[in-house]
Structure formats: C-alpha cells, structure tokens
Amino acid sequence: LLYPPDPGSVKVSTIGGNVAENAGGLRAGKYGVTRNYLMQLEAISPTGEEFKSGAKTHKCVAGYDLVSLMCGSEGTLGVITKVTLRLTVLPKFRNTMTATFADASDAGRAVANIITAGLVPATLEIIDNVTLRTIEDFAKLGLPIDAGAMVLAEFDGLSKAAVDEEGTTAAHILQTSGALDVTVACDASERDRIWQARRSALAALSRAKPTSILEDVTVPLPKLAEMIAIVQRIAAENNVIIGTFGHAGDGNLHPTVLTDERDEEEMARAERAIEQLFEAALELGGTLSGEHGIGFTKAPFLKRELGAGSLEIMRRIKRALDPNNILNPGKFV
Ligand SMILES: Cc1cc2nc3c(=O)[nH]c(=O)nc-3n(C[C@H](O)[C@H](O)[C@H](O)COP(=O)(O)OP(=O)(O)OC[C@H]3O[C@@H](n4cnc5c(N)ncnc54)[C@H](O)[C@@H]3O)c2cc1C
C-alpha cells in the first residue's frame, strides 16, 4: 500500500506537522495532498478540551468539518494527537523521463501542455539552470548544466501498457514543445538518479550561499511559463540569485533566493525580490503558498491574497478557539 503525500522533508517531518501544514509534495498532481488522505482526526484545543472530527468512512458530513479546519492550520488551533489516514494501492509500474529545454519558460509551457493533453503524471517537476548547476556541484550526478531547465516526469499505475502509453504521449508532447532532448529512464538506478537530483535541490541551494529563502508561489497552470519568466526578471532586476525548482505540474514553484543575511544591502534586495514574487503570483491569479503555509514571514502579505474580510473571519476563529492566544501566536492570523 502507498501513503501518497511525499513532501521533500519526508525523512525528517512528522505526520502531525504534515497535517498541520497540509503538506503536498512530489506526487500531489495525481494523488493530492495530505487533506485528501485524512479521514479522522483527534486533537486537544488550546483551552484543553479533547475533540475529534471525521470518520473511518469514505464520506462523512457529521457536523462542521473540523478535519479541514485543523489541516493546514499551522498549529494555531490545537495540538493534533491522532489521525486516521487513507492508504491507496501501490502502483506496479513506472515510466520516468527527463527533458531539457534551452529556456525555462519553454519548460513551463511543456508542463502545461502535458496536463492540458489530459495526462495525469504522478510527478511533474522542474529544475532551472541555477538549481541544476548547484545540484551538480553538490551531488555530481552528471546533470545537463547548460540547459535552461530540466523537466522530470513520472507516470505510474497498475497496467504496464497504460503507463507506457502515457509515457510515450508525454515524451512526444515534450519534444513538440521544444525539448532539446528527452531521456526515458531505462532502469531503477537511472530513475533513482533522477529523483536524487530533484530531492537534492534544496540542500544544494542551501549550501551555495549563507542564507537561502525558500518560497512557494503557486499559479494557475496556464500562467506557469509567465511566472517562470517573471522570477528570472525579478532576479535580474534586483541583482540577486534565485534558483527555481518545484512541482511544476501543480503550478507550484519554489524560487529560492540565495543571499547573506549579514549583508544588509543584499538582504534588502532579496526582500524586495520576494515581495515582487508574491505580487506577481497574486496578479497571475495564484497564491503565496501552495504547500508550505504562511507562518510568520508571509503573514504580512496574507491580507493581499485574502482581503480584510477573510482575514477577520480567520482571526475570529482563532480568538474563539484560542482566547489566550497561546498556540503559535503571530502565525498567519
Ligand atoms: C527540506 C524541506 C523540504 C520540504 N518539502 C516540502 C514539500 O515538498 N511539500 C510540502 O508540502 N512541504 C514541504 N516542506 C515543508 C513541509 O510542510 C514540512 O516539512 C512538514 O510538513 C512539516 O512537518 P514537521 O513535522 O517538520 O513540522 P514542523 O516544521 O515541526 O512544524 C510545522 C508546523 O506544524 C505545527 N505542528 C507540528 N506538529 C503538530 C501537531 N501534532 N499538532 C498541531 N500542530 C503541529 C508546528 O507548530 C508548526 O507550526 C519542506 C520542508 C523542508 C525543510
């Protein structure tokens, strides 16, 4: 059986943290996020009452949906003590491929073309040139460091014929979308190398400069290529290094600003770049955060996305459940 949510932090994060953040990860496009696997939840409120919501059933509409309220609440409304998770069948077959592009925006368009063709990849990721170079420097995997970007795609399922057909169609779409080359992994070690590259992205970027600021902007898929181009423009205009990777099939990018917090002038440019990233994502109809949550640092920007009315409703929920403001005070509400 398979528990599909697969955040990059899988080796260190806890289920409680995953639920509190409604974590997504590399398989969200096909399989969804933590909330999709959360059937029942028990928690302790900030004022000490035990409560539960949901059921071990396929459907449940008994009362307010406190499972959804708690999932993604970033530890502000209660301490989650027990969860019942839904598992799914482990896919038997996989078809994994990479494609390189001269230009990262072309890679973004190719990703959108795959999804609009009706294909449902288990994983559809992007790694830009800055990140490719940094990973290669870190992990020595033989990555195409001259490419503008690399797309990584994996199809999985219970039928080899169906998985292979999806893979063949995807490879064709990547080629006709301008890929310089498309390489299908021929064995498990080749597949592992591909995913090792992707999973090394944040660790590699984090060691490239003293300070790395990981963002999580997410846009509607038809706007993905535009967002990628905007990230590059913002990096150039602010003279900062931004390495971008992410769950492209979900429109979810992780532009990571590489800087040095000891350098005040550079930090000011980095912060300006981040604010511009947020503004761009919102202008394109997207969100500040696809999966990492708002936390402390994005809290000042949340009103821009939600508006004052929604924020006030959230504050009322917080005040009602946590009148003494003891759980993660200052986090997003
Ligand atoms: C290297 C790296 C890669 C990542 N990749 C992804 C990714 O691909 N996809 C994705 O969605 N996210 C990703 N994340 C962020 C992700 O949301 C978190 O890593 C993970 O879900 C948090 O779990 P944790 O156990 O580390 O929680 P913590 O970081 O310890 O806590 C996160 C929040 O949850 C609260 N919390 C923790 N446990 C509970 C509980 N039992 N009850 C109530 N509140 C609780 C904490 O108070 C805190 O506010 C990544 C993070 C890192 C560091």
Side-chain angles (χ1 to χ4, degrees), residues 145-184:
I145 55 170
D146 293 326
M150 183 163 85
V151 169
L152 302 76
E154 183 166 284
F155 295 85
D156 68 5
L158 297 173
S159 150
K160 185 170 186 324
V163 170
D164 284 348
E165 190 184 335
E166 280 191 298
T168 305
T169 309
H172 178 70
I173 292 172
L174 289 164
Q175 269 152 358
T176 54
S177 301
L180 300 173
D181 58 63
V182 178
T183 309
V184 177

mmCIF file of all heavy atoms in Angstrom, residues 145-184:
data_model
loop_
_atom_site.group_PDB
_atom_site.id
_atom_site.type_symbol
_atom_site.label_atom_id
_atom_site.label_comp_id
_atom_site.label_asym_id
_atom_site.label_seq_id
_atom_site.Cartn_x
_atom_site.Cartn_y
_atom_site.Cartn_z
ATOM 1 N N ILE A 145 24.092 20.745 -17.151
ATOM 2 C CA ILE A 145 24.219 22.064 -16.519
ATOM 3 C C ILE A 145 24.107 23.225 -17.501
ATOM 4 O O ILE A 145 24.012 24.370 -17.078
ATOM 5 C CB ILE A 145 25.541 22.182 -15.722
ATOM 6 C CG1 ILE A 145 26.723 21.852 -16.626
ATOM 7 C CG2 ILE A 145 25.517 21.323 -14.479
ATOM 8 C CD1 ILE A 145 28.058 22.173 -15.983
ATOM 9 N N ASP A 146 24.117 22.929 -18.806
ATOM 10 C CA ASP A 146 23.959 24.031 -19.761
ATOM 11 C C ASP A 146 22.502 24.242 -20.154
ATOM 12 O O ASP A 146 22.185 25.202 -20.864
ATOM 13 C CB ASP A 146 24.806 23.763 -21.019
ATOM 14 C CG ASP A 146 26.286 23.816 -20.675
ATOM 15 O OD1 ASP A 146 26.645 24.630 -19.795
ATOM 16 O OD2 ASP A 146 27.060 23.030 -21.243
ATOM 17 N N ALA A 147 21.625 23.361 -19.707
ATOM 18 C CA ALA A 147 20.203 23.504 -20.067
ATOM 19 C C ALA A 147 19.589 24.676 -19.304
ATOM 20 O O ALA A 147 19.971 24.967 -18.169
ATOM 21 C CB ALA A 147 19.458 22.218 -19.728
ATOM 22 N N GLY A 148 18.620 25.326 -19.932
ATOM 23 C CA GLY A 148 17.889 26.398 -19.247
ATOM 24 C C GLY A 148 17.042 25.828 -18.127
ATOM 25 O O GLY A 148 16.841 26.457 -17.088
ATOM 26 N N ALA A 149 16.538 24.623 -18.353
ATOM 27 C CA ALA A 149 15.743 23.938 -17.322
ATOM 28 C C ALA A 149 15.594 22.476 -17.698
ATOM 29 O O ALA A 149 15.733 22.093 -18.869
ATOM 30 C CB ALA A 149 14.369 24.574 -17.175
ATOM 31 N N MET A 150 15.304 21.680 -16.689
ATOM 32 C CA MET A 150 15.022 20.262 -16.926
ATOM 33 C C MET A 150 13.636 19.958 -16.357
ATOM 34 O O MET A 150 13.292 20.425 -15.268
ATOM 35 C CB MET A 150 16.079 19.398 -16.230
ATOM 36 C CG MET A 150 15.921 17.921 -16.485
ATOM 37 S SD MET A 150 17.432 17.001 -16.072
ATOM 38 C CE MET A 150 17.209 16.743 -14.336
ATOM 39 N N VAL A 151 12.861 19.209 -17.120
ATOM 40 C CA VAL A 151 11.560 18.730 -16.638
ATOM 41 C C VAL A 151 11.723 17.257 -16.277
ATOM 42 O O VAL A 151 12.363 16.498 -17.011
ATOM 43 C CB VAL A 151 10.472 18.907 -17.724
ATOM 44 C CG1 VAL A 151 9.184 18.179 -17.339
ATOM 45 C CG2 VAL A 151 10.194 20.391 -17.955
ATOM 46 N N LEU A 152 11.173 16.873 -15.135
ATOM 47 C CA LEU A 152 11.228 15.477 -14.688
ATOM 48 C C LEU A 152 9.786 14.991 -14.583
ATOM 49 O O LEU A 152 8.969 15.632 -13.916
ATOM 50 C CB LEU A 152 11.895 15.363 -13.314
ATOM 51 C CG LEU A 152 13.325 15.893 -13.143
ATOM 52 C CD1 LEU A 152 13.354 17.404 -13.068
ATOM 53 C CD2 LEU A 152 13.954 15.325 -11.894
ATOM 54 N N ALA A 153 9.480 13.889 -15.244
ATOM 55 C CA ALA A 153 8.094 13.400 -15.232
ATOM 56 C C ALA A 153 8.074 11.920 -14.903
ATOM 57 O O ALA A 153 8.966 11.167 -15.317
ATOM 58 C CB ALA A 153 7.441 13.637 -16.590
ATOM 59 N N GLU A 154 7.074 11.536 -14.143
ATOM 60 C CA GLU A 154 6.912 10.099 -13.872
ATOM 61 C C GLU A 154 5.431 9.745 -13.954
ATOM 62 O O GLU A 154 4.582 10.436 -13.393
ATOM 63 C CB GLU A 154 7.458 9.740 -12.492
ATOM 64 C CG GLU A 154 7.379 8.238 -12.213
ATOM 65 C CD GLU A 154 8.222 7.826 -11.013
ATOM 66 O OE1 GLU A 154 9.459 7.751 -11.146
ATOM 67 O OE2 GLU A 154 7.634 7.605 -9.942
ATOM 68 N N PHE A 155 5.163 8.661 -14.670
ATOM 69 C CA PHE A 155 3.809 8.113 -14.743
ATOM 70 C C PHE A 155 3.820 6.790 -14.003
ATOM 71 O O PHE A 155 4.805 6.047 -14.069
ATOM 72 C CB PHE A 155 3.391 7.920 -16.208
ATOM 73 C CG PHE A 155 3.294 9.232 -16.930
ATOM 74 C CD1 PHE A 155 4.417 9.810 -17.504
ATOM 75 C CD2 PHE A 155 2.096 9.918 -16.976
ATOM 76 C CE1 PHE A 155 4.343 11.047 -18.122
ATOM 77 C CE2 PHE A 155 2.009 11.156 -17.592
ATOM 78 C CZ PHE A 155 3.137 11.720 -18.163
ATOM 79 N N ASP A 156 2.736 6.494 -13.304
ATOM 80 C CA ASP A 156 2.687 5.210 -12.605
ATOM 81 C C ASP A 156 1.284 4.629 -12.700
ATOM 82 O O ASP A 156 0.340 5.314 -13.090
ATOM 83 C CB ASP A 156 3.153 5.349 -11.143
ATOM 84 C CG ASP A 156 2.203 6.168 -10.288
ATOM 85 O OD1 ASP A 156 1.128 6.558 -10.777
ATOM 86 O OD2 ASP A 156 2.531 6.421 -9.123
ATOM 87 N N GLY A 157 1.180 3.357 -12.397
ATOM 88 C CA GLY A 157 -0.135 2.724 -12.464
ATOM 89 C C GLY A 157 -0.038 1.223 -12.323
ATOM 90 O O GLY A 157 1.045 0.665 -12.098
ATOM 91 N N LEU A 158 -1.179 0.576 -12.480
ATOM 92 C CA LEU A 158 -1.251 -0.880 -12.303
ATOM 93 C C LEU A 158 -1.125 -1.627 -13.620
ATOM 94 O O LEU A 158 -0.948 -2.840 -13.636
ATOM 95 C CB LEU A 158 -2.580 -1.243 -11.619
ATOM 96 C CG LEU A 158 -2.747 -0.670 -10.207
ATOM 97 C CD1 LEU A 158 -4.145 -0.922 -9.687
ATOM 98 C CD2 LEU A 158 -1.708 -1.275 -9.264
ATOM 99 N N SER A 159 -1.246 -0.888 -14.733
ATOM 100 C CA SER A 159 -1.160 -1.534 -16.047
ATOM 101 C C SER A 159 0.073 -1.020 -16.787
ATOM 102 O O SER A 159 0.215 0.192 -17.016
ATOM 103 C CB SER A 159 -2.428 -1.225 -16.853
ATOM 104 O OG SER A 159 -2.139 -1.197 -18.229
ATOM 105 N N LYS A 160 0.961 -1.930 -17.149
ATOM 106 C CA LYS A 160 2.188 -1.519 -17.845
ATOM 107 C C LYS A 160 1.853 -0.828 -19.165
ATOM 108 O O LYS A 160 2.441 0.196 -19.515
ATOM 109 C CB LYS A 160 3.082 -2.739 -18.086
ATOM 110 C CG LYS A 160 4.420 -2.374 -18.700
ATOM 111 C CD LYS A 160 5.364 -3.546 -18.711
ATOM 112 C CE LYS A 160 6.764 -3.188 -19.177
ATOM 113 N NZ LYS A 160 6.891 -2.201 -20.208
ATOM 114 N N ALA A 161 0.864 -1.395 -19.867
ATOM 115 C CA ALA A 161 0.513 -0.835 -21.176
ATOM 116 C C ALA A 161 0.040 0.615 -21.030
ATOM 117 O O ALA A 161 0.448 1.498 -21.795
ATOM 118 C CB ALA A 161 -0.571 -1.691 -21.824
ATOM 119 N N ALA A 162 -0.801 0.863 -20.015
ATOM 120 C CA ALA A 162 -1.340 2.216 -19.836
ATOM 121 C C ALA A 162 -0.230 3.189 -19.438
ATOM 122 O O ALA A 162 -0.157 4.320 -19.948
ATOM 123 C CB ALA A 162 -2.436 2.197 -18.768
ATOM 124 N N VAL A 163 0.650 2.737 -18.542
ATOM 125 C CA VAL A 163 1.743 3.608 -18.082
ATOM 126 C C VAL A 163 2.683 3.920 -19.245
ATOM 127 O O VAL A 163 3.102 5.071 -19.439
ATOM 128 C CB VAL A 163 2.496 2.937 -16.905
ATOM 129 C CG1 VAL A 163 3.767 3.695 -16.562
ATOM 130 C CG2 VAL A 163 1.588 2.850 -15.682
ATOM 131 N N ASP A 164 2.986 2.900 -20.045
ATOM 132 C CA ASP A 164 3.887 3.124 -21.185
ATOM 133 C C ASP A 164 3.248 4.056 -22.215
ATOM 134 O O ASP A 164 3.921 4.903 -22.810
ATOM 135 C CB ASP A 164 4.258 1.787 -21.842
ATOM 136 C CG ASP A 164 5.282 1.033 -20.998
ATOM 137 O OD1 ASP A 164 5.844 1.649 -20.073
ATOM 138 O OD2 ASP A 164 5.498 -0.163 -21.254
ATOM 139 N N GLU A 165 1.937 3.895 -22.397
ATOM 140 C CA GLU A 165 1.259 4.755 -23.377
ATOM 141 C C GLU A 165 1.297 6.217 -22.918
ATOM 142 O O GLU A 165 1.584 7.123 -23.700
ATOM 143 C CB GLU A 165 -0.190 4.295 -23.561
ATOM 144 C CG GLU A 165 -0.860 4.989 -24.733
ATOM 145 C CD GLU A 165 -2.331 4.621 -24.863
ATOM 146 O OE1 GLU A 165 -2.722 3.534 -24.394
ATOM 147 O OE2 GLU A 165 -3.069 5.453 -25.423
ATOM 148 N N GLU A 166 1.041 6.424 -21.615
ATOM 149 C CA GLU A 166 1.118 7.797 -21.090
ATOM 150 C C GLU A 166 2.524 8.359 -21.267
ATOM 151 O O GLU A 166 2.713 9.513 -21.658
ATOM 152 C CB GLU A 166 0.759 7.813 -19.597
ATOM 153 C CG GLU A 166 -0.719 7.768 -19.307
ATOM 154 C CD GLU A 166 -0.994 8.047 -17.835
ATOM 155 O OE1 GLU A 166 -0.531 7.255 -16.989
ATOM 156 O OE2 GLU A 166 -1.650 9.052 -17.542
ATOM 157 N N GLY A 167 3.526 7.511 -20.983
ATOM 158 C CA GLY A 167 4.918 7.952 -21.104
ATOM 159 C C GLY A 167 5.256 8.328 -22.535
ATOM 160 O O GLY A 167 5.893 9.355 -22.794
ATOM 161 N N THR A 168 4.817 7.501 -23.476
ATOM 162 C CA THR A 168 5.110 7.776 -24.891
ATOM 163 C C THR A 168 4.451 9.082 -25.326
ATOM 164 O O THR A 168 5.061 9.910 -26.015
ATOM 165 C CB THR A 168 4.593 6.602 -25.767
ATOM 166 O OG1 THR A 168 5.181 5.404 -25.271
ATOM 167 C CG2 THR A 168 4.959 6.788 -27.219
ATOM 168 N N THR A 169 3.201 9.274 -24.903
ATOM 169 C CA THR A 169 2.499 10.509 -25.271
ATOM 170 C C THR A 169 3.199 11.719 -24.656
ATOM 171 O O THR A 169 3.395 12.749 -25.309
ATOM 172 C CB THR A 169 1.026 10.451 -24.790
ATOM 173 O OG1 THR A 169 0.454 9.233 -25.240
ATOM 174 C CG2 THR A 169 0.217 11.616 -25.315
ATOM 175 N N ALA A 170 3.602 11.586 -23.386
ATOM 176 C CA ALA A 170 4.278 12.709 -22.712
ATOM 177 C C ALA A 170 5.596 13.039 -23.409
ATOM 178 O O ALA A 170 5.919 14.217 -23.617
ATOM 179 C CB ALA A 170 4.523 12.370 -21.248
ATOM 180 N N ALA A 171 6.351 11.996 -23.777
ATOM 181 C CA ALA A 171 7.636 12.235 -24.449
ATOM 182 C C ALA A 171 7.409 12.993 -25.750
ATOM 183 O O ALA A 171 8.152 13.926 -26.096
ATOM 184 C CB ALA A 171 8.341 10.903 -24.704
ATOM 185 N N HIS A 172 6.353 12.611 -26.465
ATOM 186 C CA HIS A 172 6.034 13.292 -27.731
ATOM 187 C C HIS A 172 5.681 14.767 -27.467
ATOM 188 O O HIS A 172 6.152 15.669 -28.175
ATOM 189 C CB HIS A 172 4.874 12.559 -28.416
ATOM 190 C CG HIS A 172 4.437 13.204 -29.685
ATOM 191 N ND1 HIS A 172 5.221 13.195 -30.824
ATOM 192 C CD2 HIS A 172 3.319 13.912 -29.988
ATOM 193 C CE1 HIS A 172 4.599 13.867 -31.775
ATOM 194 N NE2 HIS A 172 3.440 14.312 -31.299
ATOM 195 N N ILE A 173 4.886 15.001 -26.425
ATOM 196 C CA ILE A 173 4.491 16.386 -26.111
ATOM 197 C C ILE A 173 5.724 17.209 -25.724
ATOM 198 O O ILE A 173 5.878 18.360 -26.142
ATOM 199 C CB ILE A 173 3.438 16.408 -24.974
ATOM 200 C CG1 ILE A 173 2.126 15.801 -25.478
ATOM 201 C CG2 ILE A 173 3.209 17.825 -24.455
ATOM 202 C CD1 ILE A 173 1.082 15.588 -24.396
ATOM 203 N N LEU A 174 6.607 16.607 -24.937
ATOM 204 C CA LEU A 174 7.826 17.333 -24.540
ATOM 205 C C LEU A 174 8.643 17.700 -25.779
ATOM 206 O O LEU A 174 9.132 18.833 -25.909
ATOM 207 C CB LEU A 174 8.659 16.473 -23.578
ATOM 208 C CG LEU A 174 8.062 16.307 -22.166
ATOM 209 C CD1 LEU A 174 8.725 15.157 -21.419
ATOM 210 C CD2 LEU A 174 8.196 17.604 -21.360
ATOM 211 N N GLN A 175 8.754 16.733 -26.709
ATOM 212 C CA GLN A 175 9.538 17.001 -27.926
ATOM 213 C C GLN A 175 8.902 18.110 -28.757
ATOM 214 O O GLN A 175 9.579 19.043 -29.193
ATOM 215 C CB GLN A 175 9.666 15.728 -28.768
ATOM 216 C CG GLN A 175 10.904 14.941 -28.401
ATOM 217 C CD GLN A 175 10.755 13.452 -28.665
ATOM 218 O OE1 GLN A 175 9.700 12.991 -29.105
ATOM 219 N NE2 GLN A 175 11.793 12.701 -28.384
ATOM 220 N N THR A 176 7.591 18.017 -28.940
ATOM 221 C CA THR A 176 6.937 19.020 -29.790
ATOM 222 C C THR A 176 6.795 20.360 -29.070
ATOM 223 O O THR A 176 6.454 21.363 -29.686
ATOM 224 C CB THR A 176 5.545 18.531 -30.253
ATOM 225 O OG1 THR A 176 4.795 18.157 -29.095
ATOM 226 C CG2 THR A 176 5.649 17.348 -31.193
ATOM 227 N N SER A 177 7.070 20.378 -27.757
ATOM 228 C CA SER A 177 7.033 21.641 -27.011
ATOM 229 C C SER A 177 8.412 22.288 -26.953
ATOM 230 O O SER A 177 8.615 23.254 -26.214
ATOM 231 C CB SER A 177 6.531 21.397 -25.583
ATOM 232 O OG SER A 177 5.252 20.830 -25.578
ATOM 233 N N GLY A 178 9.365 21.720 -27.689
ATOM 234 C CA GLY A 178 10.663 22.384 -27.805
ATOM 235 C C GLY A 178 11.783 21.784 -26.977
ATOM 236 O O GLY A 178 12.832 22.424 -26.812
ATOM 237 N N ALA A 179 11.591 20.556 -26.463
ATOM 238 C CA ALA A 179 12.672 19.944 -25.675
ATOM 239 C C ALA A 179 13.912 19.744 -26.542
ATOM 240 O O ALA A 179 13.810 19.397 -27.720
ATOM 241 C CB ALA A 179 12.212 18.604 -25.113
ATOM 242 N N LEU A 180 15.085 19.977 -25.945
ATOM 243 C CA LEU A 180 16.338 19.713 -26.658
ATOM 244 C C LEU A 180 16.548 18.211 -26.760
ATOM 245 O O LEU A 180 17.042 17.702 -27.757
ATOM 246 C CB LEU A 180 17.515 20.349 -25.911
ATOM 247 C CG LEU A 180 17.449 21.867 -25.725
ATOM 248 C CD1 LEU A 180 18.572 22.343 -24.822
ATOM 249 C CD2 LEU A 180 17.506 22.565 -27.078
ATOM 250 N N ASP A 181 16.199 17.510 -25.680
ATOM 251 C CA ASP A 181 16.219 16.047 -25.721
ATOM 252 C C ASP A 181 15.315 15.493 -24.631
ATOM 253 O O ASP A 181 15.020 16.170 -23.648
ATOM 254 C CB ASP A 181 17.638 15.487 -25.565
ATOM 255 C CG ASP A 181 18.274 15.950 -24.283
ATOM 256 O OD1 ASP A 181 17.743 15.607 -23.215
ATOM 257 O OD2 ASP A 181 19.291 16.658 -24.346
ATOM 258 N N VAL A 182 14.862 14.278 -24.857
ATOM 259 C CA VAL A 182 14.016 13.589 -23.875
ATOM 260 C C VAL A 182 14.679 12.243 -23.595
ATOM 261 O O VAL A 182 15.027 11.515 -24.521
ATOM 262 C CB VAL A 182 12.588 13.359 -24.423
ATOM 263 C CG1 VAL A 182 11.742 12.599 -23.405
ATOM 264 C CG2 VAL A 182 11.922 14.683 -24.786
ATOM 265 N N THR A 183 14.888 11.941 -22.316
ATOM 266 C CA THR A 183 15.548 10.684 -21.948
ATOM 267 C C THR A 183 14.639 9.902 -21.010
ATOM 268 O O THR A 183 14.248 10.408 -19.955
ATOM 269 C CB THR A 183 16.887 10.967 -21.216
ATOM 270 O OG1 THR A 183 17.640 11.873 -22.005
ATOM 271 C CG2 THR A 183 17.671 9.690 -20.991
ATOM 272 N N VAL A 184 14.315 8.677 -21.413
ATOM 273 C CA VAL A 184 13.466 7.832 -20.570
ATOM 274 C C VAL A 184 14.374 6.940 -19.723
ATOM 275 O O VAL A 184 15.313 6.333 -20.251
ATOM 276 C CB VAL A 184 12.513 6.980 -21.441
ATOM 277 C CG1 VAL A 184 11.667 6.051 -20.568
ATOM 278 C CG2 VAL A 184 11.612 7.885 -22.283
#
